[in-house]
Amino acid sequence: MIINEASAATAAETTDAKDTEGHLQATNDGHDSLRYHLLGPSLTKAGQDSVDQQKVSEIIYNASKGSKYFNNEEFKDKNLTQKIERILSRKRQLERIDLASDLRRADEYIAEQELSRDLSQTIVHIDCDAFYAAVEELDRPELKDVPMAVGKGVLTTCNYHARKFGCRSGMAGFVAVKLCPNLICLPLNFDKYTAKAREVREILADYDPRFESASIDEAYLNITQYCEDYEMDPDDVVMQLRDEVHQKTKITISAGIAANAKIAKIASNRNKPNGQFRVASERTVILSFMHNLPTRKVNGVGRVFERELDAIGIKTCGDIYPLRAYLSKLFGEKAFHFLIQCYLGLGRTSVQPAEEYERKSVGTESTFRDMSGKAELREKLKWIAEELEKDLTRTQFKGRTLVLKVKLHTYEVLTRQVVPPKAVHLVDDLYTYALPMLTKLEKEIPGMKLRLMGLRCTNLVSTKKVGIDFFGIARNRASTTCDELMSAKAFSSEDDGLWEVWPEAEFEEAARQERVDEMNELERLSQEEVAGDISQQPQGITFRSNVTQEPLEKQEEFWDCPICQKPQKANDKEFNEHIDHCLSRQTIKEAVKDTPIESIDLPPSTRVLPPVLRNHGSRKRKSPFSNTHEKEKRLFFGPR
C-alpha cells in the first residue's frame, strides 16, 4: 500500500491512543498515570488495536500491587508527576513573557531543516512478524492456531492469537496467563532463532549488501540503487523481497517504505502482519502523515517523554508546531531539535553496516533473585566475567576501563569503575580487577543484597586484524555476520560514530533504556510471584550488549587526562593537580631527551600548564554510557 495523504489511518491511531488514556482515567484512586505506565513498553505493538486496555491495566495493577516492583514503579510515577508539575509551572511563567525571539529562532531552524530534506533515497525497514513465535511454529505447526508465546518469566514475543487477549512482549508471564489462561509458553532457543536470522539476512544482502541490522528480526535497507538497476518500483521490489523471504524461510515479514529511516520504521508497523506500507517521498505527503501521528509511535518517544509532552498539550506530531517556541526552554535544545524533526518527518537516510562505527563498550549483566552471600556473589561475578570474556573475544576488543554495575534489592543502581594497568579481556583479569570493587561495596553497604550484577569494558582497544589491500587501505566487510549477533536476549544503544548527526539517536537510546529497565523489573516481579514455577538457568536471565547505557543514578563522572589519557574523578582541584603532575613529568622527559643535562633548569615551583589544558577541566567528560548510536542495534537481540 502506498499513502498519498495521511488521512483515516493516522486519525484512527490518534483516536485509539486517546481512548486508551481516557479509559484508564476513569478510576479515582490517584493511580491513573501509574496504570497507564504499567501497561508496559510494548503498548504500541501490532495486534493490540482491539484489546480492552483498561482490563489489561487492571489485571497488571492488581497482580503486581504490593510487590517491590509495584512500589518502585509507584515511586517513579510520583517523581515523574512532580517533574511534570514543574514543567507546567515553567510553562505558565513562559506564557507571561515575550517569546518572539524564541519563535523566530524556531522558525529559522525549521527553514534550515527544510533545506536539508533529502527525498532522493528509498529506505526500507523490515520487521519479521512475531519472529521467535514464528520460528517455533515451524517446528510445531499445531501452535499456529492457538495463543502461544516465547519466554517464561517475561514474554519476549507472542503470536497474533495471543495478542488479541492483550499479551505482548515485555509482559510478565504470570500476568499473560491471567489475561489468557490457555496461553502456551515455550522456552527460548536462540540457536534456532540465529539460524533462521541467517537465512533472512542472506536474502537481504541481495537487495542491499550494506544493509543495517537493527536487531535479530529487524533491518534497514537502502534499495535506491536496486530500483535503478532493475528499473523496478519500490513497492514491487519490497513485495518481491517479502515473497522471497517467505518462500525460502517459511516466515513472513512486514515492511515500511519511505524517504528516511524514521518514517520507514513507523510505516512497517502499519500493515502487520505480512504486509507493507509506503509513504510517498513527497514533502506534503510526509507532513500530512506525521501530523496526526501519536508521538508514542515515533521511535525515541518512550512512556516518560510521552507523558511530559502530553502534559503540555502535545499528543500528536502535529501538536509540536504551535508550541515550538516553548520546547527548548521546557525540554532543552536537543529535545527541541528532535521534536522539530519529528514534526517535519525528517530522519537519517544513510544505511551502513554496524562494524564501520566505533563501539563505546562491551558488557554483560544478569538479573537474579535477591542474593547476599559472599560466596554466591563471587560465584556470580566469576560467571559474569566468563560471559564478558566471550563477548570481548567475539567482538575482538579489550577494555582499558572496567565497570561494575549492581542493582540493590531496593532497586538502587550503583556503578564503580577501575583503570587496570593494562587493557583486559581475559576472565582471570576481569575477575581480579572487579572483585575489589565488589568487596568495597560490601564494606560500604553492610548486609548488601543484590538483584542484578554486570561488568562492562569501556575505552576499548581493538584486537581485530584488519585486512589490508594492495594499496594499504583497510578493507571493510559488506555486512555483519550472524556470528557477530548476540547469543542471548540483548539490548542495544546508539553509538556516535561517523554517521549523519540526527538528534533522534539520543532519544531512541532513552526509550530503549526504558524497555531494558522494564524487562529487568518484570523479570524480578515474575520471580517474586511464581518463583517455584519458573524454569530458568541457575545464573539467571542474562542481558548482553556491546553498547549499553547505564541509568544515571549514582554514576560517577570522570574526565580524561589530556596527558596520560586515563580517566580521573570529576573534581577541579584533583584534576588540575593530576595534570600538573603528568605535565611536569612529561616536560622533564622531553627536556632530558632534547637538552643536555647541564642546561636543564626546572625549579621545584615551576608549573607549565598551557591554558588549553587548564580549560580541559571545565569540560566534563560524558558518562561512558551516555553517547550511543542507533547503528549498533545491528548486533543485538530485542524482545519481539
mmCIF file of all heavy atoms in Angstrom, residues 461-499:
data_model
loop_
_atom_site.group_PDB
_atom_site.id
_atom_site.type_symbol
_atom_site.label_atom_id
_atom_site.label_comp_id
_atom_site.label_asym_id
_atom_site.label_seq_id
_atom_site.Cartn_x
_atom_site.Cartn_y
_atom_site.Cartn_z
ATOM 1 N N VAL A 461 40.011 -1.187 23.085
ATOM 2 C CA VAL A 461 41.150 -1.359 22.193
ATOM 3 C C VAL A 461 40.843 -2.553 21.299
ATOM 4 O O VAL A 461 40.541 -3.642 21.789
ATOM 5 C CB VAL A 461 42.444 -1.633 22.980
ATOM 6 C CG1 VAL A 461 43.610 -1.844 22.022
ATOM 7 C CG2 VAL A 461 42.733 -0.496 23.935
ATOM 8 N N SER A 462 40.891 -2.359 19.996
ATOM 9 C CA SER A 462 40.559 -3.439 19.071
ATOM 10 C C SER A 462 41.691 -4.461 19.001
ATOM 11 O O SER A 462 42.866 -4.111 18.975
ATOM 12 C CB SER A 462 40.288 -2.882 17.677
ATOM 13 O OG SER A 462 40.040 -3.935 16.757
ATOM 14 N N THR A 463 41.294 -5.738 18.998
ATOM 15 C CA THR A 463 42.264 -6.827 18.788
ATOM 16 C C THR A 463 42.104 -7.421 17.397
ATOM 17 O O THR A 463 42.705 -8.439 17.084
ATOM 18 C CB THR A 463 42.054 -7.935 19.840
ATOM 19 O OG1 THR A 463 40.731 -8.464 19.723
ATOM 20 C CG2 THR A 463 42.256 -7.397 21.246
ATOM 21 N N LYS A 464 41.275 -6.792 16.589
ATOM 22 C CA LYS A 464 40.979 -7.306 15.246
ATOM 23 C C LYS A 464 42.150 -7.057 14.304
ATOM 24 O O LYS A 464 42.733 -5.980 14.283
ATOM 25 C CB LYS A 464 39.728 -6.625 14.699
ATOM 26 C CG LYS A 464 39.257 -7.149 13.360
ATOM 27 C CD LYS A 464 38.021 -6.385 12.890
ATOM 28 C CE LYS A 464 36.873 -6.540 13.844
ATOM 29 N NZ LYS A 464 35.634 -5.906 13.346
ATOM 30 N N LYS A 465 42.480 -8.065 13.529
ATOM 31 C CA LYS A 465 43.498 -7.914 12.499
ATOM 32 C C LYS A 465 42.825 -7.437 11.224
ATOM 33 O O LYS A 465 42.128 -8.197 10.555
ATOM 34 C CB LYS A 465 44.205 -9.247 12.248
ATOM 35 C CG LYS A 465 45.006 -9.737 13.442
ATOM 36 C CD LYS A 465 45.693 -11.053 13.139
ATOM 37 C CE LYS A 465 46.493 -11.548 14.335
ATOM 38 N NZ LYS A 465 47.148 -12.851 14.046
ATOM 39 N N VAL A 466 43.013 -6.171 10.916
ATOM 40 C CA VAL A 466 42.344 -5.573 9.768
ATOM 41 C C VAL A 466 43.032 -5.983 8.480
ATOM 42 O O VAL A 466 44.252 -5.889 8.359
ATOM 43 C CB VAL A 466 42.331 -4.035 9.884
ATOM 44 C CG1 VAL A 466 41.624 -3.420 8.688
ATOM 45 C CG2 VAL A 466 41.668 -3.619 11.185
ATOM 46 N N GLY A 467 42.219 -6.464 7.518
ATOM 47 C CA GLY A 467 42.778 -6.848 6.220
ATOM 48 C C GLY A 467 43.235 -5.622 5.447
ATOM 49 O O GLY A 467 42.576 -4.588 5.434
ATOM 50 N N ILE A 468 44.397 -5.705 4.825
ATOM 51 C CA ILE A 468 44.938 -4.587 4.056
ATOM 52 C C ILE A 468 45.028 -4.985 2.588
ATOM 53 O O ILE A 468 45.536 -6.061 2.246
ATOM 54 C CB ILE A 468 46.343 -4.202 4.561
ATOM 55 C CG1 ILE A 468 46.300 -3.898 6.066
ATOM 56 C CG2 ILE A 468 46.894 -3.036 3.780
ATOM 57 C CD1 ILE A 468 45.443 -2.715 6.427
ATOM 58 N N ASP A 469 44.505 -4.141 1.712
ATOM 59 C CA ASP A 469 44.567 -4.474 0.297
ATOM 60 C C ASP A 469 45.910 -4.016 -0.297
ATOM 61 O O ASP A 469 46.786 -3.525 0.404
ATOM 62 C CB ASP A 469 43.379 -3.867 -0.461
ATOM 63 C CG ASP A 469 43.401 -2.351 -0.481
ATOM 64 O OD1 ASP A 469 44.449 -1.748 -0.173
ATOM 65 O OD2 ASP A 469 42.352 -1.763 -0.816
ATOM 66 N N PHE A 470 46.042 -4.155 -1.595
ATOM 67 C CA PHE A 470 47.304 -3.874 -2.263
ATOM 68 C C PHE A 470 47.779 -2.443 -2.042
ATOM 69 O O PHE A 470 48.963 -2.166 -1.972
ATOM 70 C CB PHE A 470 47.160 -4.139 -3.769
ATOM 71 C CG PHE A 470 48.417 -3.895 -4.548
ATOM 72 C CD1 PHE A 470 49.428 -4.851 -4.578
ATOM 73 C CD2 PHE A 470 48.588 -2.726 -5.260
ATOM 74 C CE1 PHE A 470 50.586 -4.620 -5.303
ATOM 75 C CE2 PHE A 470 49.745 -2.497 -5.990
ATOM 76 C CZ PHE A 470 50.754 -3.445 -6.010
ATOM 77 N N PHE A 471 46.806 -1.516 -1.894
ATOM 78 C CA PHE A 471 47.153 -0.112 -1.757
ATOM 79 C C PHE A 471 47.267 0.315 -0.295
ATOM 80 O O PHE A 471 47.375 1.490 0.003
ATOM 81 C CB PHE A 471 46.100 0.762 -2.462
ATOM 82 C CG PHE A 471 46.044 0.504 -3.932
ATOM 83 C CD1 PHE A 471 45.091 -0.339 -4.462
ATOM 84 C CD2 PHE A 471 46.965 1.087 -4.783
ATOM 85 C CE1 PHE A 471 45.040 -0.584 -5.831
ATOM 86 C CE2 PHE A 471 46.924 0.858 -6.147
ATOM 87 C CZ PHE A 471 45.970 0.011 -6.673
ATOM 88 N N GLY A 472 47.205 -0.649 0.618
ATOM 89 C CA GLY A 472 47.374 -0.310 2.023
ATOM 90 C C GLY A 472 46.136 0.233 2.679
ATOM 91 O O GLY A 472 46.198 0.861 3.735
ATOM 92 N N ILE A 473 44.974 0.004 2.059
ATOM 93 C CA ILE A 473 43.716 0.514 2.609
ATOM 94 C C ILE A 473 42.983 -0.614 3.322
ATOM 95 O O ILE A 473 42.848 -1.712 2.790
ATOM 96 C CB ILE A 473 42.834 1.097 1.502
ATOM 97 C CG1 ILE A 473 43.584 2.248 0.800
ATOM 98 C CG2 ILE A 473 41.505 1.582 2.058
ATOM 99 C CD1 ILE A 473 42.837 2.789 -0.403
ATOM 100 N N ALA A 474 42.515 -0.312 4.521
ATOM 101 C CA ALA A 474 41.811 -1.338 5.294
ATOM 102 C C ALA A 474 40.523 -1.709 4.596
ATOM 103 O O ALA A 474 39.783 -0.856 4.114
ATOM 104 C CB ALA A 474 41.518 -0.825 6.700
ATOM 105 N N ARG A 475 40.239 -3.017 4.540
ATOM 106 C CA ARG A 475 39.020 -3.499 3.900
ATOM 107 C C ARG A 475 37.906 -3.616 4.919
ATOM 108 O O ARG A 475 38.123 -4.065 6.039
ATOM 109 C CB ARG A 475 39.269 -4.861 3.254
ATOM 110 C CG ARG A 475 40.243 -4.833 2.108
ATOM 111 C CD ARG A 475 40.175 -6.145 1.344
ATOM 112 N NE ARG A 475 40.551 -7.268 2.180
ATOM 113 C CZ ARG A 475 41.772 -7.764 2.232
ATOM 114 N NH1 ARG A 475 42.734 -7.228 1.508
ATOM 115 N NH2 ARG A 475 42.046 -8.802 3.004
ATOM 116 N N ASN A 476 36.701 -3.239 4.525
ATOM 117 C CA ASN A 476 35.517 -3.402 5.355
ATOM 118 C C ASN A 476 34.657 -4.509 4.788
ATOM 119 O O ASN A 476 34.504 -4.627 3.588
ATOM 120 C CB ASN A 476 34.689 -2.111 5.401
ATOM 121 C CG ASN A 476 35.346 -1.048 6.226
ATOM 122 O OD1 ASN A 476 35.911 -1.337 7.278
ATOM 123 N ND2 ASN A 476 35.311 0.184 5.732
ATOM 124 N N ARG A 477 34.055 -5.295 5.658
ATOM 125 C CA ARG A 477 33.103 -6.296 5.197
ATOM 126 C C ARG A 477 31.809 -5.630 4.782
ATOM 127 O O ARG A 477 31.452 -4.562 5.250
ATOM 128 C CB ARG A 477 32.824 -7.305 6.324
ATOM 129 C CG ARG A 477 33.997 -8.223 6.591
ATOM 130 C CD ARG A 477 33.725 -9.041 7.830
ATOM 131 N NE ARG A 477 33.680 -8.185 8.999
ATOM 132 C CZ ARG A 477 33.245 -8.598 10.178
ATOM 133 N NH1 ARG A 477 32.800 -9.821 10.313
ATOM 134 N NH2 ARG A 477 33.221 -7.780 11.190
ATOM 135 N N ALA A 478 31.063 -6.319 3.944
ATOM 136 C CA ALA A 478 29.823 -5.740 3.430
ATOM 137 C C ALA A 478 28.735 -5.720 4.472
ATOM 138 O O ALA A 478 27.933 -4.817 4.502
ATOM 139 C CB ALA A 478 29.357 -6.520 2.215
ATOM 140 N N SER A 479 28.674 -6.710 5.324
ATOM 141 C CA SER A 479 27.597 -6.749 6.311
ATOM 142 C C SER A 479 28.011 -7.586 7.500
ATOM 143 O O SER A 479 28.920 -8.405 7.417
ATOM 144 C CB SER A 479 26.322 -7.332 5.685
ATOM 145 O OG SER A 479 26.563 -8.642 5.243
ATOM 146 N N THR A 480 27.364 -7.365 8.599
ATOM 147 C CA THR A 480 27.659 -8.103 9.813
ATOM 148 C C THR A 480 27.167 -9.530 9.677
ATOM 149 O O THR A 480 26.069 -9.774 9.224
ATOM 150 C CB THR A 480 26.959 -7.438 11.013
ATOM 151 O OG1 THR A 480 27.449 -6.122 11.132
ATOM 152 C CG2 THR A 480 27.246 -8.181 12.298
ATOM 153 N N THR A 481 27.975 -10.483 10.119
ATOM 154 C CA THR A 481 27.571 -11.875 10.051
ATOM 155 C C THR A 481 26.754 -12.236 11.272
ATOM 156 O O THR A 481 26.802 -11.567 12.288
ATOM 157 C CB THR A 481 28.807 -12.783 10.005
ATOM 158 O OG1 THR A 481 29.503 -12.667 11.249
ATOM 159 C CG2 THR A 481 29.728 -12.404 8.861
ATOM 160 N N CYS A 482 26.040 -13.331 11.177
ATOM 161 C CA CYS A 482 25.232 -13.782 12.302
ATOM 162 C C CYS A 482 26.097 -14.180 13.484
ATOM 163 O O CYS A 482 25.633 -14.164 14.610
ATOM 164 C CB CYS A 482 24.336 -14.958 11.890
ATOM 165 S SG CYS A 482 22.926 -14.454 10.913
ATOM 166 N N ASP A 483 27.361 -14.545 13.247
ATOM 167 C CA ASP A 483 28.234 -14.907 14.355
ATOM 168 C C ASP A 483 28.513 -13.707 15.246
ATOM 169 O O ASP A 483 28.912 -13.859 16.393
ATOM 170 C CB ASP A 483 29.571 -15.452 13.831
ATOM 171 C CG ASP A 483 29.402 -16.806 13.171
ATOM 172 O OD1 ASP A 483 28.407 -17.486 13.504
ATOM 173 O OD2 ASP A 483 30.246 -17.174 12.339
ATOM 174 N N GLU A 484 28.314 -12.506 14.705
ATOM 175 C CA GLU A 484 28.538 -11.312 15.497
ATOM 176 C C GLU A 484 27.308 -10.937 16.305
ATOM 177 O O GLU A 484 27.337 -10.016 17.100
ATOM 178 C CB GLU A 484 28.916 -10.138 14.595
ATOM 179 C CG GLU A 484 30.291 -10.300 13.958
ATOM 180 C CD GLU A 484 30.575 -9.193 12.997
ATOM 181 O OE1 GLU A 484 29.772 -9.018 12.061
ATOM 182 O OE2 GLU A 484 31.571 -8.506 13.155
ATOM 183 N N LEU A 485 26.201 -11.622 16.054
ATOM 184 C CA LEU A 485 24.994 -11.354 16.818
ATOM 185 C C LEU A 485 25.128 -11.925 18.212
ATOM 186 O O LEU A 485 25.912 -12.826 18.471
ATOM 187 C CB LEU A 485 23.774 -12.000 16.137
ATOM 188 C CG LEU A 485 23.334 -11.359 14.841
ATOM 189 C CD1 LEU A 485 22.334 -12.267 14.156
ATOM 190 C CD2 LEU A 485 22.744 -9.995 15.093
ATOM 191 N N MET A 486 24.313 -11.424 19.128
ATOM 192 C CA MET A 486 24.305 -11.958 20.478
ATOM 193 C C MET A 486 23.679 -13.333 20.488
ATOM 194 O O MET A 486 22.799 -13.635 19.696
ATOM 195 C CB MET A 486 23.474 -11.049 21.401
ATOM 196 C CG MET A 486 24.025 -9.648 21.515
ATOM 197 S SD MET A 486 25.676 -9.595 22.248
ATOM 198 C CE MET A 486 26.717 -9.689 20.838
ATOM 199 N N SER A 487 24.113 -14.157 21.435
ATOM 200 C CA SER A 487 23.513 -15.477 21.598
ATOM 201 C C SER A 487 22.539 -15.486 22.759
ATOM 202 O O SER A 487 22.116 -16.530 23.221
ATOM 203 C CB SER A 487 24.599 -16.519 21.825
ATOM 204 O OG SER A 487 25.338 -16.196 22.973
ATOM 205 N N ALA A 488 22.206 -14.297 23.285
ATOM 206 C CA ALA A 488 21.206 -14.194 24.344
ATOM 207 C C ALA A 488 20.398 -12.943 24.093
ATOM 208 O O ALA A 488 20.750 -12.112 23.283
ATOM 209 C CB ALA A 488 21.874 -14.112 25.709
ATOM 210 N N LYS A 489 19.295 -12.826 24.778
ATOM 211 C CA LYS A 489 18.429 -11.656 24.622
ATOM 212 C C LYS A 489 19.271 -10.427 24.929
ATOM 213 O O LYS A 489 19.897 -10.330 25.962
ATOM 214 C CB LYS A 489 17.294 -11.742 25.632
ATOM 215 C CG LYS A 489 16.261 -10.656 25.472
ATOM 216 C CD LYS A 489 15.331 -10.623 26.663
ATOM 217 C CE LYS A 489 14.866 -11.972 27.062
ATOM 218 N NZ LYS A 489 14.056 -11.938 28.270
ATOM 219 N N ALA A 490 19.300 -9.484 24.014
ATOM 220 C CA ALA A 490 20.192 -8.359 24.225
ATOM 221 C C ALA A 490 19.512 -7.068 23.881
ATOM 222 O O ALA A 490 18.530 -7.022 23.179
ATOM 223 C CB ALA A 490 21.448 -8.519 23.374
ATOM 224 N N PHE A 491 20.081 -5.996 24.395
ATOM 225 C CA PHE A 491 19.515 -4.677 24.183
ATOM 226 C C PHE A 491 20.647 -3.760 23.801
ATOM 227 O O PHE A 491 21.735 -3.826 24.351
ATOM 228 C CB PHE A 491 18.858 -4.173 25.466
ATOM 229 C CG PHE A 491 17.747 -5.049 25.917
ATOM 230 C CD1 PHE A 491 17.996 -6.137 26.721
ATOM 231 C CD2 PHE A 491 16.460 -4.822 25.486
ATOM 232 C CE1 PHE A 491 16.984 -6.970 27.119
ATOM 233 C CE2 PHE A 491 15.431 -5.650 25.883
ATOM 234 C CZ PHE A 491 15.701 -6.723 26.706
ATOM 235 N N SER A 492 20.381 -2.903 22.832
ATOM 236 C CA SER A 492 21.439 -2.071 22.323
ATOM 237 C C SER A 492 21.170 -0.617 22.592
ATOM 238 O O SER A 492 20.126 -0.220 23.032
ATOM 239 C CB SER A 492 21.553 -2.274 20.816
ATOM 240 O OG SER A 492 20.481 -1.657 20.189
ATOM 241 N N SER A 493 22.178 0.172 22.323
ATOM 242 C CA SER A 493 22.003 1.611 22.340
ATOM 243 C C SER A 493 22.809 2.175 21.202
ATOM 244 O O SER A 493 23.552 1.484 20.541
ATOM 245 C CB SER A 493 22.471 2.182 23.668
ATOM 246 O OG SER A 493 23.772 1.783 23.935
ATOM 247 N N GLU A 494 22.690 3.469 20.971
ATOM 248 C CA GLU A 494 23.285 4.037 19.781
ATOM 249 C C GLU A 494 24.691 4.519 20.049
ATOM 250 O O GLU A 494 25.057 4.898 21.134
ATOM 251 C CB GLU A 494 22.426 5.211 19.292
ATOM 252 C CG GLU A 494 21.074 4.797 18.802
ATOM 253 C CD GLU A 494 20.116 4.421 19.918
ATOM 254 O OE1 GLU A 494 20.379 4.738 21.084
ATOM 255 O OE2 GLU A 494 19.116 3.797 19.609
ATOM 256 N N ASP A 495 25.502 4.540 19.010
ATOM 257 C CA ASP A 495 26.873 4.994 19.100
ATOM 258 C C ASP A 495 26.986 6.303 18.335
ATOM 259 O O ASP A 495 26.136 6.644 17.546
ATOM 260 C CB ASP A 495 27.777 3.918 18.479
ATOM 261 C CG ASP A 495 29.179 4.020 19.018
ATOM 262 O OD1 ASP A 495 29.519 5.093 19.523
ATOM 263 O OD2 ASP A 495 29.912 3.032 18.915
ATOM 264 N N ASP A 496 28.078 7.016 18.584
ATOM 265 C CA ASP A 496 28.213 8.317 17.932
ATOM 266 C C ASP A 496 29.333 8.291 16.915
ATOM 267 O O ASP A 496 30.181 9.151 16.878
ATOM 268 C CB ASP A 496 28.475 9.409 18.974
ATOM 269 C CG ASP A 496 29.783 9.182 19.704
ATOM 270 O OD1 ASP A 496 30.371 8.084 19.585
ATOM 271 O OD2 ASP A 496 30.213 10.108 20.381
ATOM 272 N N GLY A 497 29.323 7.300 16.069
ATOM 273 C CA GLY A 497 30.369 7.132 15.076
ATOM 274 C C GLY A 497 30.336 8.161 13.981
ATOM 275 O O GLY A 497 30.036 9.323 14.184
ATOM 276 N N LEU A 498 30.585 7.707 12.768
ATOM 277 C CA LEU A 498 30.786 8.640 11.672
ATOM 278 C C LEU A 498 29.535 8.951 10.901
ATOM 279 O O LEU A 498 29.592 9.414 9.790
ATOM 280 C CB LEU A 498 31.817 8.023 10.712
ATOM 281 C CG LEU A 498 33.164 7.648 11.356
ATOM 282 C CD1 LEU A 498 33.999 6.903 10.330
ATOM 283 C CD2 LEU A 498 33.873 8.885 11.847
ATOM 284 N N TRP A 499 28.401 8.681 11.476
ATOM 285 C CA TRP A 499 27.243 8.787 10.605
ATOM 286 C C TRP A 499 26.516 10.093 10.741
ATOM 287 O O TRP A 499 26.890 10.944 11.508
ATOM 288 C CB TRP A 499 26.369 7.586 10.810
ATOM 289 C CG TRP A 499 25.334 7.559 11.869
ATOM 290 C CD1 TRP A 499 25.174 8.331 12.969
ATOM 291 C CD2 TRP A 499 24.263 6.613 11.892
ATOM 292 N NE1 TRP A 499 24.089 7.935 13.678
ATOM 293 C CE2 TRP A 499 23.526 6.908 13.043
ATOM 294 C CE3 TRP A 499 23.883 5.581 11.055
ATOM 295 C CZ2 TRP A 499 22.398 6.153 13.365
ATOM 296 C CZ3 TRP A 499 22.773 4.860 11.399
ATOM 297 C CH2 TRP A 499 22.055 5.151 12.537
#
